Amino acid sequence: MQKRARTLLVWLHVVTSVGWLSQAVALLALVLYGMKTGDLDAFRMARYLDHEVLAIMANTSAFSGFMLSATTPWGYFRHWWVLAKFVITVSQLYIGIFILSGNLQEAVNGHVTAWMPVGTSLMIGAIAFQAWLSVAKPWRRTPWADSKVKLPTASTATFVVALIIPVIDFAISLWMGNPMPLLMLITVIGYSIRRAARARRRSSAASGRGSAAGPARRDATAPSPR
């Protein structure tokens, strides 16, 4: 059951990542068409696509990816390729929410900037690069990876919750009229903090056992006073 739930979370991550990429390509096409023809309806369509579809795909893709790192032995900071995906995803969300969406709204009002196709193209390239990272898994472990401690895989219930949370946030978004990944954000931060605390306790326990075991072994091999 645990494996099936984890597989479903992987499936959700793949589907939403592909959706994010495809919507970014469609967004670029609309932006380029609007800049070429001066048709403000193209920017309105791009704004609607970004607000109603791409944002949901991006938020769910990011959430499922973060949860897969947090609920499996991969972790966030144990492998360079995972850390690279983490940094790229956070950067994309920031740029998309605070820069690209604002520029699209300005374009609807007639203020078009050349940074829109540039930013959208960078988004497409970043998602494609992340897909390659997921397949190739290049590079070695980071210096922060403790080889003595292997992070466990989360319980079935945790994976089920990770599958349900995006659905709840989607329902809230429909009700509020805006993308609201509130529960996803709370879940990622809360679970990551809890898991990091557990990992530190395991690392401390492993170090304590090692230091306590050393003298015992030396005493056992010491020569008899007789």
Side-chain angles (χ1 to χ4, degrees), residues 16-154:
T16 52
S17 297
V18 172
W20 189 3
L21 176 61
S22 63
Q23 297 306 317
V25 173
L27 187 66
L28 177 61
L30 287 171
V31 168
L32 291 176
Y33 178 80
M35 294 181 69
K36 181 179 180 179
T37 63
D39 187 355
L40 294 182
D41 286 337
F43 296 119
R44 293 188 182 96
M45 293 174 64
R47 172 63 177 148
Y48 183 83
L49 181 68
D50 175 68
H51 190 267
E52 300 295 336
V53 184
L54 188 147
I56 296 172
M57 291 291 178
N59 291 335
T60 307
S61 173
F63 170 76
S64 55
F66 291 158
M67 289 304 293
L68 282 171
S69 294
T71 56
T72 61
W74 289 111
Y76 286 118
F77 308 109
R78 297 171 65 87
H79 302 267
W80 282 115
W81 71 272
V82 177
L83 180 57
K85 286 192 65 177
F86 177 80
V87 173
I88 293 172
T89 299
V90 172
S91 301
Q92 283 179 297
L93 292 176
Y94 177 84
I95 293 172
I97 294 172
F98 296 103
I99 299 178
L100 182 59
S101 293
N103 284 332
L104 285 173
Q105 185 60 50
E106 290 295 323
V108 171
N109 298 327
H111 305 289
V112 181
T113 172
W115 284 107
M116 286 192 301
V118 174
T120 309
S121 299
L122 290 175
M123 180 189 298
I124 295 170
I127 299 172
F129 179 63
Q130 286 176 290
W132 176 80
L133 288 175
S134 297
V135 174
K137 296 179 177 59
W139 313 318
R140 299 181 178 181
R141 290 189 176 189
T142 66
W144 309 289
D146 190 349
S147 58
K148 298 178 182 178
V149 178
K150 182 180 179 181
L151 299 177
T153 301

